[in-house]
């Protein structure tokens, strides 16, 4: 899942994939809440799962990957 998120972020947000590690924060790359909402909606559509990030404390790409993996299981 992490690799899928990195590929998406690299493509959609025009961020070099090599700049994204599991502990990279969204804030450090200038990813704002609107970007996160759009990314979440795209993953919900692609994976067929509802992702409610509103009550989650997700600040890194790794945390997002772990959260999505938990939802899929």
């Amino acid at each position: 899942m992490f690799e899928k998120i990195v590929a998406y972020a690299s493509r959609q947000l025009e961020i070099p994939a090599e700049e994204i590690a599991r502990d990279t924060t969204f804030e450090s790359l200038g990813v704002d809440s609107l970007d996160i909402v759009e990314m979440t909606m795209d993953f919900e559509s692609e994976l067929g799962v509802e992702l409610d990030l509103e009550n989650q404390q997700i600040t890194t790409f790794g945390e997002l990957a772990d959260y999505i993996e938990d939802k899929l299981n």
Side-chain angles (χ1 to χ4, degrees):
M1 181 49 60
F2 176 72
E3 292 78 17
K4 186 176 280 216
I5 292 171
V6 169
Y8 176 91
S10 179
R11 186 176 60 252
Q12 293 296 112
L13 305 173
E14 299 178 1
I15 298 168
E18 58 272 3
E19 288 186 21
I20 304 172
R22 287 192 62 83
D23 63 347
T24 301
T25 64
F26 301 121
E27 184 179 358
S28 71
L29 294 179
V31 178
D32 63 22
S33 59
L34 184 58
D35 293 327
I36 294 169
V37 167
E38 183 178 340
M39 183 169 33
T40 301
M41 289 172 48
D42 288 345
F43 281 121
E44 284 178 333
S45 177
E46 180 180 334
L47 301 171
V49 66
E50 186 174 330
L51 304 172
D52 180 16
L53 299 182
E54 193 170 312
N55 298 318
Q56 303 296 317
Q57 295 296 321
I58 296 175
T59 59
T60 69
F61 285 89
E63 290 171 350
L64 179 59
D66 292 344
Y67 173 75
I68 293 173
E69 286 175 2
D70 284 347
K71 286 297 215 175
L72 291 173
N73 293 327

